[in-house]
Amino acid sequence: MPELTVSSDAGHGMRELMHRLRRSGSASGALMTLAVLCVAFALLSDNFLDSANLRNVAVQSTILLLIALPMTLVIMTEGLDLSMGAVLTLANVVLAMVAVKTGGVVFALLAALGVGAVFGLSNGTLVARLGIPPFVATLGTLGVAQGLALVVTDGQSVVGIPDAVQMFYSGSLLGVPSPLWIAMAAYLVFHVALYHTRFGAYVFALGGNREALGLAGVRTRLYLVAVYVIGGLMAGLAALLLTARISSGHPTAALGMEFDAIAAVAVGGTSFEKGKGWLLGTLIGVLAVGVLRNGLNLMGVTSAVQVAAIGFLVIFALMFDALRGKQS
């Protein structure tokens, strides 16, 4: 029996070592990508390294971070949420309409969170309860959310946003912009939840070995639904910053942002299989996507080319991950 205990401990230690080495490799790859982009745009644009521009990159990246964090959890469970950008758009429209009607923030934010929760629950139910592939299920809810955003606004922008809402993006506390405080708080909550709670352990297991988790008596479907609901709620929260940033509600405001979120998660080193992912990599990936978009904007590159550039960035990240996996 002692021999078996030692062998088990050694196997666990070896797995932990390999996990740390993989995360270290992901960190170096994500940081290398971010560093290359920063150096390239510093050489191509005289304004890139201005403190005001770097501050702008950080603040603008906060909205993407709020949806990239839950996207990390979704991908760790071997899932995908293509509806997040459309849900964010619909939540933006609803938040703007309620804010204009009430003149306040509380009910508007609750309405946006409600929209996100409904779509998150729908996604989770379709995937976990009905067994529909995540790609298909969330593609369907993407269309529903996008259509509703157009219907409720009649294709027009919602204007007259109260100052109380706009302060969440333009305001600051202790010299730090308000969006950064919200983003830091969100990251801290996700970090604690993923790495220091039972829920986080189950998220890893949902992608790593879901069958074993179920055999251990864990309600895997319930936790999988919870992951998608969290994604919807974060889209509702991100709608607050988006509405404050653009000072309106627009029926196409965040369409396609789910692509940026997936790109950030991929660049950060989260794998699309076996529950391998980490939040710090997602943060670095968000900054990389933010730097790429900002640098291309400074160079006057069109939005269509920017999308193509992010696509190449994702391909590079996946190729790097595949090569690292073969070396391992």
Side-chain angles (χ1 to χ4, degrees):
M1 294 301 294
E3 291 76 2
L4 291 176
T5 303
V6 172
S7 175
S8 177
D9 290 343
H12 176 75
M14 180 61 70
R15 288 193 296 271
E16 180 66 20
L17 176 60
M18 293 301 295
H19 179 62
R20 291 184 178 181
L21 287 174
R22 181 178 179 83
R23 285 179 56 176
S24 176
S26 298
S28 62
L31 286 172
M32 180 184 70
T33 301
L34 178 59
V36 169
L37 289 172
C38 288
V39 171
F41 288 122
L43 295 174
L44 293 171
S45 175
D46 296 333
N47 299 324
F48 178 77
L49 292 180
D50 288 350
S51 59
N53 184 63
L54 294 179
R55 176 189 174 102
N56 186 47
V57 171
V59 172
Q60 290 186 353
S61 297
T62 55
I63 300 174
L64 178 58
L65 180 64
L66 291 184
I67 63 172
L69 289 173
M71 186 69 80
T72 304
L73 304 190
V74 171
I75 291 177
M76 285 176 62
T77 63
E78 296 186 324
L80 197 64
D81 190 350
L82 297 179
S83 70
M84 201 168 286
V87 173
L88 172 53
T89 298
L90 179 59
N92 156 243
V93 166
V94 171
L95 189 148
M97 295 176 70
V98 176
V100 170
K101 188 175 183 62
T102 63
V105 178
V106 177
F107 288 111
L109 178 58
L110 289 176
L113 292 174
V115 169
V118 167
F119 274 88
L121 181 61
S122 299
N123 286 332
T125 301
L126 291 173
V127 173
R129 298 290 182 179
L130 301 182
I132 299 175
F135 179 90
V136 177
T138 59
L139 184 62
T141 52
L142 179 157
V144 173
Q146 183 176 346
L148 286 175
L150 290 169
V151 169
V152 298
T153 61
D154 197 23
Q156 304 298 315
S157 295
V158 180
V159 297
I161 305 300
D163 292 339
V165 173
Q166 298 184 43
M167 285 299 296
F168 279 91
Y169 194 83
S170 60
S172 63
L173 178 63
L174 302 177
V176 178
S178 300
L180 291 180
W181 284 111
I182 296 174
M184 287 188 290
Y187 181 87
L188 179 61
V189 169
F190 270 80
H191 181 87
V192 172
L194 185 60
Y195 299 114
H196 300 284
T197 68
R198 182 174 297 178
F199 169 79
Y202 290 164
V203 170
F204 278 101
L206 281 171
N209 197 335
R210 189 176 306 178
E211 182 178 354
L213 188 65
L215 292 175
V218 177
R219 300 174 64 182
T220 57
R221 292 181 179 178
L222 176 64
Y223 283 95
L224 188 58
V225 170
V227 168
Y228 283 92
V229 171
I230 290 172
L233 289 172
M234 290 302 293
L237 177 60
L240 177 62
L241 293 185
L242 179 61
T243 307
R245 175 184 173 183
I246 65 178
S247 300
S248 66
H250 196 277
T252 61
L255 295 184
M257 191 172 284
E258 71 283 347
F259 178 67
D260 284 8
I262 295 170
V265 174
V267 171
T270 293
S271 176
F272 284 81
E273 58 181 10
K274 300 190 181 302
K276 298 174 181 177
W278 62 307
L279 293 178
L280 181 58
T282 294
L283 174 59
I284 299 172
V286 166
L287 291 175
V289 173
V291 165
L292 179 58
R293 280 201 177 275
N294 177 264
L296 293 176
N297 279 330
L298 291 176
M299 296 172 60
V301 176
T302 64
S303 59
V305 177
Q306 291 183 28
V307 173
I310 293 176
F312 280 115
L313 185 64
V314 172
I315 293 173
F316 171 78
L318 294 178
M319 289 177 59
F320 185 84
D321 184 68
L323 291 174
R324 186 173 62 245
K326 287 182 179 180
Q327 291 175 354
S328 300

